[in-house]
């Protein structure tokens, strides 16, 4: 029974990958069709026999196709959009980490992250430090240092400490 569930799970994953790929290709081909008028090829009438190293006729038909140019344009737009999305996710990593840890500093991290986006990147680095810091450990360490200092201040002094050298 467990083996059957594992097999069905793997088939479902493969099916979803194929569905996503098909949807992506349909969007790209639709973009190629819509962007084809912008990809007018102006050099279709050049006699390619004057060049010594040219692609074969089938490749030239593909390269001289407006739809191929539209497809390249659609892929370029999709790639630029994906890179912008990844950069935004990298920029928001501090906010996501603070939210994941249910930190009390979420608003501060968000504000510093925006300051890092618009003002200076040092604010973004500070937001990363605040989001990834273990504040419970830092608070316990500071409390321990303070309590150790108070214990030493209130402890009785030895007689050798009162004499002058």
């Amino acid at each position: 029974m467990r083996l059957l569930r594992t097999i069905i799970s793997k088939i479902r994953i493969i099916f979803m990958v194929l569905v996503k790929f098909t949807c992506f290709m349909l969007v790209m081909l639709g973009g190629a069709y819509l962007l084809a008028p912008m990809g007018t090829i102006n050099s279709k009438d050049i006699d390619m026999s004057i060049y010594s190293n040219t692609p074969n006729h089938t490749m030239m038909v593909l390269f001289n196709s407006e739809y191929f140019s539209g497809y390249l344009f659609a892929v370029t737009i999709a790639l630029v959009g994906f890179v912008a999305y990844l950069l935004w996710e990298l920029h928001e990593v501090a906010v996501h980490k603070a939210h994941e840890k249910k930190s009390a500093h979420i608003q501060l991290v968000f504000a510093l992250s925006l300051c890092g986006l618009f003002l200076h990147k040092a604010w973004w680095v500070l937001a990363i430090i605040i989001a990834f810091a273990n504040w419970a450990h830092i608070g316990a360490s500071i409390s321990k240092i303070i309590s150790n200092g108070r214990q030493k201040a209130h402890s009785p002094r030895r007689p050798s400490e009162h004499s002058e050298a």
Side-chain angles (χ1 to χ4, degrees), residues 40-57:
T40 303
I41 309 295
N42 295 321
S43 60
K44 283 186 176 183
D45 300 332
I46 294 177
D47 182 24
M48 296 305 282
S49 63
I50 61 173
Y51 298 105
S52 61
N53 191 11
T54 60
N56 61 21
H57 178 70

Side-chain angles (χ1 to χ4, degrees), residues 141-155:
S141 297
I142 291 173
S143 295
K144 185 178 176 185
I145 291 170
I146 292 171
S147 66
N148 287 344
R150 295 184 124 228
Q151 287 175 358
K152 287 182 182 178
H154 293 296
S155 65

Side-chain angles (χ1 to χ4, degrees), residues 4-160:
L4 185 61
R5 285 185 183 170
T6 305
I7 292 172
I8 290 173
S9 170
K10 301 298 180 189
I11 290 173
R12 185 178 307 155
I13 290 170
I14 292 170
F15 178 72
M16 288 307 296
V17 166
L18 290 174
V19 166
K20 288 178 182 179
F21 177 75
T22 304
C23 290
F24 174 76
M25 287 307 294
L26 287 174
V27 167
M28 290 293 108
L29 292 174
Y33 179 74
L34 292 173
L35 298 171
M38 294 174 61
T40 303
I41 309 295
N42 295 321
S43 60
K44 283 186 176 183
D45 300 332
I46 294 177
D47 182 24
M48 296 305 282
S49 63
I50 61 173
Y51 298 105
S52 61
N53 191 11
T54 60
N56 61 21
H57 178 70
T58 307
M59 292 301 292
M60 287 309 297
V61 169
L62 177 66
F63 291 150
N64 284 332
S65 169
E66 281 86 6
Y67 293 106
F68 182 69
S69 294
Y71 181 77
L72 289 179
F73 192 47
V75 168
T76 303
I77 290 172
L79 184 66
V80 167
F82 183 65
V83 168
Y85 169 75
L86 289 179
L87 288 173
W88 179 255
E89 286 296 314
L90 175 66
H91 174 73
E92 288 292 308
V93 72
V95 176
H96 294 304
K97 184 66 174 181
H99 189 30
E100 174 186 315
K101 290 171 54 175
K102 295 182 174 125
S103 174
H105 305 100
I106 293 174
Q107 290 179 341
L108 175 64
V109 168
F110 178 73
L112 289 172
S113 182
L114 284 180
C115 288
L117 180 64
F118 295 115
L119 299 177
H120 195 273
K121 296 301 176 207
W123 295 112
W124 182 72
V125 172
L126 184 61
I128 293 278
I129 292 170
I130 291 171
F132 282 87
N134 186 351
W135 289 104
H137 180 71
I138 292 171
S141 297
I142 291 173
S143 295
K144 185 178 176 185
I145 291 170
I146 292 171
S147 66
N148 287 344
R150 295 184 124 228
Q151 287 175 358
K152 287 182 182 178
H154 293 296
S155 65
R157 294 186 177 189
R158 289 179 266 157
S160 62

